[in-house]
Amino acid sequence: MGMEPAHRGAVRELRLHLVTWNVGTASPPPDVSSLLQLDSLGATMDMYVIGLQEVNSKITNFLSDLAFDDPWSIFLMTVLSPLGYIKLSSVRMQGLLLLIFVKHVHLPFIRDLHTQFTRTGLYGYWGNKGGVTIRMSLYGHTVCFVNCHLPAHMENTEQRLDDFEKILEMQFEGENIPSALEHDVLFWFGDLNFRIADYGIHFVRESINNKRYNLLWEKDQLNMAKKKEAFLQEFIEGPLHFKPTYKFDLYSDVYDTREQKSLFWFNEKKRKPAWTDRILWRVKNLCQHAAKGGEFSEEQQTISVTLNNYISHMSYGISDHKPVTGTFGLELKPLVSEPLVTLSPEGEWSAEHDVLINYSAVPEFPSSAWDWIGLFKVTFKHVNDYVTYSWVEDDEISSNKDGLHECCRNTRCGRRILALLL
């Protein structure tokens, strides 16, 4: 498997595109090109991180999704796999779904993948609210992604903060994995449900219509909380130079106009617009140096995060929320310079004959009886999307004195294949 080596010490730049969207139980839209910036003329993304809230989790849908991939995962894999992305990992808790797609070239340098979820609904017994997490080692740096859906309504600010602290504390608790805040980089995003306090609906809407968003920033509950809560002050967010993303009439860019009937048929108030959908990040070494009050040299900065774009996407109307995306640049010095396993095909491959693969592993590779070599089509969608496979411990595999291993496998299932050891 020909992979570009990651030279230790040389700075590597990765482009990461992060999406958060409360989809309101809707099915995927016909096209997500602008959402994923697929029509952009710039450099392609190295990684997509997609956090969804309120994915349809009615009992019939949820049971079906347990047995098969959910419609959103299938849709996104169909869009991204022809472009050279594989679904690296996913985690779901009822309506919360987190997906990560990555370019093939980075796979040998991503390790220690783990997922987790934390329920906070109904005092921790129900998963309609809470957080889902994927963490990994990326070129030797620990990176964590937390997709949250926090409690709604204006008066629940403290509950939102308490739930987020609980989610941070409980992720990977009791496991031999760093806590969320101990990762080199932590991304926090989702329908965080923070509202605009004090101002009335007419002032808020007038400020939005005049694009004077800055008048609303100081009363945004998350901005207010960041001034008081020490742990939030370590999180960074881009400027809110886009309209509040909630609450819209479906298939429109008009804020809530519908009169909704509540209990006993009283009309509910129209919802005041709010920036409920947010993306924040935290870089651990920046926090440590800020706490010590010390200088931060370039040599000490082995990973940095730059926000290139933070926008909403008004053209999507399947939900009463608009999706929000953040495009980031990750500059890092690889701490891992070689893949754990290197594969190389022997001779010329064809669909008519058996083929031979040589592979070698670094001494520290944690080999297992469950290791296998898979053959994949070039446009494979996820790790289980193989054409065929062979167990490493099979009789078909032998090794020589140089530590080079050989695997023979029939490839008549297809011509365009990619070998990958997992």
Side-chain angles (χ1 to χ4, degrees), residues 279-337:
I279 299 172
L280 297 92
W281 72 97
R282 176 185 184 273
V283 182
K284 185 178 73 170
N285 53 18
L286 292 181
C287 301
Q288 292 174 336
H289 279 76
K292 295 176 182 177
E295 293 295 322
F296 196 65
S297 68
E298 264 188 43
E299 289 73 21
Q300 293 172 303
Q301 190 172 0
T302 57
I303 186 168
S304 64
V305 179
T306 303
L307 176 66
N308 298 324
N309 204 3
Y310 189 34
I311 59 174
S312 66
H313 296 260
M314 296 294 293
S315 62
Y316 293 95
I318 62 173
S319 162
D320 54 7
H321 290 252
K322 300 298 182 183
V324 171
T325 61
T327 305
F328 296 87
L330 269 64
E331 286 195 0
L332 52 85
K333 295 179 181 177
L335 305 178
V336 173
S337 56

Side-chain angles (χ1 to χ4, degrees), residues 20 29 89 95 98 106 133 149 173 189 204 239 255 286 330 334 347 417:
T20 179
S89 184
L98 177 57
H106 302 300
T133 302
H149 193 185
E173 187 180 35
F189 50 95
V204 171
Y255 285 107
L286 292 181
L330 269 64
I417 50 183

